[in-house]
Amino acid sequence: MLARMKIVLALLLGSSLALAGCSGGTPSGGARGAATISAHVGRPGARGDAQVMPATPQELGRVVREGGRPATLVNVWATWCNPCREEMPGLLAVARRHPDVRLILISADFSDQQAAAGRFLSDRGVSGTTYIKSGSDQEFIDALNPAWTGSLPATFVFDANGRPVAFWEGRADEARFEDAIAQAVRTRP
């Protein structure tokens, strides 16, 4: 509990501890149907028009658990997080291969970086609605998964019914994203 409180305080204060938590990530190896609730990923090299909208923990919790697609892949990232930036091309490549999987991107940047987050995503071909967290960091963490320490990047995978099937902290490669999607699809009723 003390470690979680330290992480939350670090995120709130924007201290170097938060940056260290991000750069400490290591390779891990391995509204339903509405266009406004998920990012669309264009072809590589295409410029997108990502719209980054603030969302409270309660709104995000509701959106990610909505279900209706074979799987929902949620990725929490930040523009200042090197492991987040490093895994983004692989994450977007997987999203391009699985257009039936809903991709929800949530920036953990501070609200004054909302435009920078949108530019970062647009430059990578992302369009549609993405999110930036607002509200309490601890509520935000708990809304996605209470086991999450707050480290970035963080990935959460939900099945078609909005049930969590996979979660990890730290940078992942394409194989890890693919495996998690396959696991979510296998859990279909």
Side-chain angles (χ1 to χ4, degrees):
M1 184 60 143
L2 183 58
R4 176 181 263 171
M5 288 175 56
K6 285 181 182 178
I7 290 170
V8 170
L9 287 174
L11 287 172
L12 289 172
L13 299 175
S15 71
S16 61
L17 181 58
L19 291 172
C22 169
S23 62
T26 58
S28 302
R32 183 175 147 160
T36 59
I37 63 166
S38 59
H40 302 284
V41 183
R43 68 188 188 293
R47 177 143 173 81
D49 185 20
Q51 300 158 12
V52 181
M53 306 297 295
T56 66
Q58 295 78 18
E59 291 166 336
L60 290 172
R62 192 170 42 253
V63 168
V64 300
R65 289 178 178 84
E66 229 168 31
R69 300 273 186 104
T72 298
L73 181 63
V74 178
N75 184 262
V76 185
W77 65 284
T79 57
W80 46 262
C81 170
N82 285 333
C84 301
R85 296 171 69 92
E86 291 167 0
E87 84 171 354
M88 191 64 71
L91 171 63
L92 298 179
V94 169
R96 285 182 188 98
R97 287 193 297 271
H98 297 278
D100 58 331
V101 170
R102 180 175 34 190
L103 174 63
I104 298 175
L105 298 171
I106 304 170
S107 171
D109 286 295
F110 293 107
S111 60
D112 65 345
Q113 292 297 307
Q114 185 172 342
R119 281 190 303 275
F120 176 85
L121 294 173
S122 292
D123 287 349
R124 284 147 186 83
V126 176
S127 61
T129 301
T130 65
Y131 299 96
I132 190 167
K133 70 168 188 66
S134 66
S136 158
D137 286 345
Q138 191 61 54
E139 287 178 17
F140 179 78
I141 288 167
D142 290 340
L144 288 170
N145 186 327
W148 178 28
T149 68
S151 293
L152 298 176
T155 303
F156 309 84
V157 182
F158 299 85
D159 69 10
N161 296 312
R163 293 181 302 236
V165 296
F167 154 70
W168 65 86
E169 297 173 300
R171 184 172 36 122
D173 61 13
E174 289 183 43
R176 180 112 189 236
F177 292 119
E178 291 281 359
D179 289 346
I181 290 169
Q183 180 183 353
V185 170
R186 282 192 305 270
T187 65
R188 292 181 88 169

